[in-house]
Amino acid sequence: MAKKINLEFNKNEDGMKLAVSAMMNKLAVIEKGGGEKAIAKQKEKGKMTPRERIAYLIDKNSVFTEMMAFAGYDMYKEHGGCPAGGTVAGIGYIKGRQCVIVANDQTVKAGAWFPITGKKNLRLQEMAMENKLPIIYIVDSAGVYLPMQDEIFPDKEHFGRIFRNNARISSMGIPQIAAVMGSCVAGGAYLPIMSDETIMVEENGSIFLAGPYLAKAAIGEDVDIQTLGGAVTHTEISGIADYKFKTEQECLDQVKRIVDKFGSREHAGFDRTKPALPIKDMKEIYGILSAENNKQYDVVELIERLVDQSEFDQFKKDYGKTIVCGYARIDGWAVGIVANQRTIVKNGKKEMQLGGVIYNDSADKAARFIMNCNQKKIPLVFLQDVTGFMVGSRSEHSGIIKDGAKMVNAVANSVVPKITIIIGNSYGAGNYAMCGKAYDPRFIYAWPNAKIAVMGGEQAAKVLLQIQVASLKAKGELITPEDEKIMLDKIIEQYNQQTTAYYAAARLWVDAIIDPIETRSVISEGINAANHAPIEKPMNVGVFQV
């Protein structure tokens, strides 16, 4: 597609840019946290916002990859919302070292933990453990959000799992540093104390299992916050904290000094050469896919705008054409790419129009390629735009379930890092086979046009309509074609709302929604993070039918 300027390209480009613009507008609102009034109250106390704290902490002009900014998006409306899940976090560089950084947002319900807050924090700890990255906690939280305590407190993946992970992370030799900038209450008080080193800000920082009100109610003691658990108390009397400073900036400076002295660690040894930009214009990515995910395109054209020198070495190019596999470099890193194909291809004299469907031969090819990448210790990148596996008697008789299981088996047992980008549709078992969230990608991102569901909206709505109509007719109700049309439209509207990238990101099915132009950067940063964790065992696929 030498610069293929045509009506379709321009229409796609306009649609994708509008989708990106809408995403940025939503992010701008999220970044205000609890709002201007809440921010102003923090400023009166000499406190920075969580984003300001992170900006001060990380190296100037370095890359910060924010994670899960859309956590909780459009959720908890009856509780006033929970922007970014009440936590600002991501992977950034401190003194040249990649670290996971987790900062409570005190402007959102005083930094209280909603159910999605716990899920987000657990995912961030998982990133630290999988990639063996140091983790920095910037603590300023009122603890569990009591009106929803039953959804955050007692279960395996709830609040207490955070402290279990603290212990596990420590046992893995991964550094944890806690900077206490505000409240640290009740069970949350264990987090900084289970970290390697704890730093507190005088006057604003406090750590205690029970605050003054509870101390009064429980044992009748009258005590103020600072006497009970302030920086002076914990550095001079209890010995719980290790350092105290008068300002947040001084506190964060100490974090930098500690990180600066970390010893070097063994790396995984993924191959990297000098980075090179694609020869083909990266900005043309916007014009390749339609924002509605309903047009054919050649995924190779997209890949050539992501990889160094636009060089892509295809594996089994003329076999299994509904999945494209091949080797390339992204920002210097060697990668194996597995991508769904949505274009017209020729099989002999016959033309096939592909819609991101996985056929038997494609699944077979992809499984073999994934095993090859594991053999060669090459990280995998999945570009998802999949409507599922091929259905029908011909596919079933050819063993599509067997071939699909072979691919799923390879994805599940892969030991090299997997990074998934959902660039279009992600439907049904295709989501699994192309390394959806359930298959442990190190990082998973979505473009703003992405859709994630068990099947496409129109197909799902027709299935649901048939069930509803059959149920109503069984009760003796008369259903006219007009009634069916109204019911179908209502089902489609509701279903489509639940398939958007924002719905997925709110529930942490993806780690972030990204501008397509950022795809190279997030892949490179992801492999750089993964390179801190050596592969400890070879791939073993177990038993499957061949």
Side-chain angles (χ1 to χ4, degrees), residues 75-336:
M75 295 169 65
Y76 312 120
K77 291 180 180 178
E78 68 276 22
H79 297 279
C82 186
T87 303
V88 181
I91 297 178
Y93 292 84
I94 302 172
K95 294 295 182 178
R97 291 167 168 81
Q98 249 184 337
C99 299
V100 175
I101 304 170
V102 185
N104 299 124
D105 189 347
Q106 71 280 15
T107 71
V108 179
K109 294 285 192 294
W113 288 58
F114 282 68
I116 202 67
T117 315
K119 189 174 181 180
K120 179 172 178 176
N121 278 262
L122 288 172
R123 173 62 177 147
L124 290 158
Q125 287 184 319
E126 182 180 56
M127 288 178 180
M129 288 188 280
E130 284 187 333
N131 300 292
K132 291 187 167 51
L133 294 178
I135 185 165
I136 312 300
Y137 305 102
I138 302 177
V139 185
D140 196 342
S141 171
V144 166
Y145 182 61
L146 291 178
M148 302 187 75
Q149 63 85 25
D150 61 320
E151 297 181 46
I152 178 64
F153 170 65
D155 210 346
K156 180 179 179 181
E157 300 300 328
H158 283 178
F159 189 67
R161 188 79 169 183
I162 302 290
F163 317 122
R164 175 264 190 192
N165 284 352
N166 284 143
R168 292 293 300 275
I169 291 169
S170 183
S171 73
M172 295 169 69
I174 299 170
Q176 299 177 90
I177 308 298
V180 181
M181 306 290 203
S183 297
C184 189
V185 184
Y190 288 107
L191 184 145
I193 310 314
M194 295 185 75
S195 298
D196 301 348
E197 298 187 65
T198 303
I199 310 161
M200 296 185 70
V201 178
E202 295 181 41
E203 300 301 325
N204 285 332
S206 59
I207 304 172
F208 35 66
L209 291 179
Y213 292 118
L214 188 52
K216 176 69 174 176
I219 63 172
E221 181 182 12
D222 286 305
V223 61
D224 64 84
I225 289 174
Q226 289 303 310
T227 302
L228 183 63
V232 171
T233 293
H234 286 315
T235 55
E236 298 181 13
I237 301 173
S238 73
I240 279 174
D242 305 302
Y243 314 88
K244 67 177 186 292
F245 294 97
K246 294 189 179 300
T247 68
E248 294 193 354
Q249 289 84 351
E250 291 174 310
C251 182
L252 295 173
D253 286 338
Q254 179 63 20
V255 174
K256 295 179 189 181
R257 287 192 290 271
I258 294 170
V259 173
D260 191 38
K261 295 175 181 63
F262 287 169
S264 61
R265 305 179 68 94
E266 183 184 358
H267 282 67
F270 302 126
D271 188 65
R272 191 180 198 186
T273 59
K274 184 178 179 181
L277 292 173
I279 293 173
K280 295 189 176 181
D281 189 352
M282 285 191 294
K283 292 181 181 177
E284 288 181 357
I285 288 174
Y286 292 129
I288 295 175
L289 280 73
S290 69
E292 297 80 21
N293 305 337
N294 59 358
K295 301 285 174 63
Q296 301 294 319
Y297 65 92
D298 185 355
V299 76
V300 176
E301 294 288 350
L302 169 63
I303 292 169
E304 289 175 345
R305 284 157 180 78
L306 293 177
V307 301
D308 294 12
Q309 300 287 353
S310 298
E311 292 178 354
F312 180 54
D313 185 16
Q314 283 202 56
F315 174 79
K316 291 185 182 288
K317 180 179 180 181
D318 298 317
Y319 175 73
K321 293 184 178 181
T322 65
I323 289 183
V324 169
C325 299
Y327 303 102
R329 290 189 182 274
I330 292 179
D331 199 33
W333 294 105
V335 296

